[in-house]
């Protein structure tokens, strides 16, 4: 598992996503955990396409993305985002968690380290 530090540059482009993917491959990890504040705020505005670009690239490389942090304010103002999060959390590649403990539980249930 690769946990990004809370402090660091904002991820907003496919090129920056490529760096994450490269690091994950070098470190031989299958899950990238990103604090929500490290993602461009447009990530939570599905109309922007940022979430689609970032998540599609990660999925194409057979990795998993865990977004860690409170997204409740954005969810409260966007039914499509609430639906997106609900659906991705049911899947195998993109997840949203309030904290790292939620991710740890999900991975332990799936036998992933």
């Amino acid at each position: 598992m690769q946990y990004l530090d809370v402090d660091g540059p904002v991820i907003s482009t496919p090129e920056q996503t490529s760096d994450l993917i490269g690091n994950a491959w070098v470190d031989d990890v299958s899950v990238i955990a990103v604090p929500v504040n490290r993602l461009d705020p447009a990530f939570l505005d599905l109309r922007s396409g940022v979430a689609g670009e970032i998540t599609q690239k990660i999925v194409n490389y057979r990795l998993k993305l865990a977004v860690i942090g409170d997204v409740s304010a954005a969810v409260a103002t966007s039914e499509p985002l609430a639906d997106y999060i609900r659906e991705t959390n049911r899947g195998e590649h993109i997840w949203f968690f309030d904290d790292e403990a939620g991710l740890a539980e999900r991975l332990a249930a799936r036998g992933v380290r």
Side-chain angles (χ1 to χ4, degrees):
M1 167 132 31
Q2 179 184 45
Y3 281 103
L4 266 62
D5 290 330
V6 173
D7 297 320
V10 172
I11 301 159
S12 58
T13 67
E15 292 77 21
Q16 292 163 325
T17 306
S18 294
D19 291 342
L20 292 178
I21 292 167
N23 291 338
W25 280 62
V26 166
D27 295 339
D28 194 29
V29 298
S30 62
V31 180
I32 303 169
V34 180
V36 71
N37 69 308
R38 289 284 307 273
L39 295 169
D40 187 313
F43 184 91
L44 297 177
D45 178 3
L46 297 181
R47 294 171 295 173
S48 74
V50 172
E53 289 178 341
I54 290 173
T55 59
Q56 187 61 50
K57 192 158 197 162
I58 288 172
V59 170
N60 285 347
Y61 283 89
R62 296 184 178 96
L63 296 170
K64 297 170 181 19
L65 172 68
V67 177
I68 310 294
D70 183 8
V71 296
S72 60
V75 168
T77 62
S78 173
E79 189 173 327
L81 178 61
D83 293 342
Y84 176 75
I85 290 172
R86 187 172 32 260
E87 289 301 315
T88 59
N89 280 347
R90 290 180 186 158
E92 295 297 321
H93 299 285
I94 310 299
W95 305 317
F96 290 78
F97 298 100
D98 290 334
D99 53 39
E100 292 177 13
L103 172 59
E105 288 176 25
R106 170 75 59 101
L107 295 177
R110 286 179 163 71
V112 177
R113 292 181 276 153

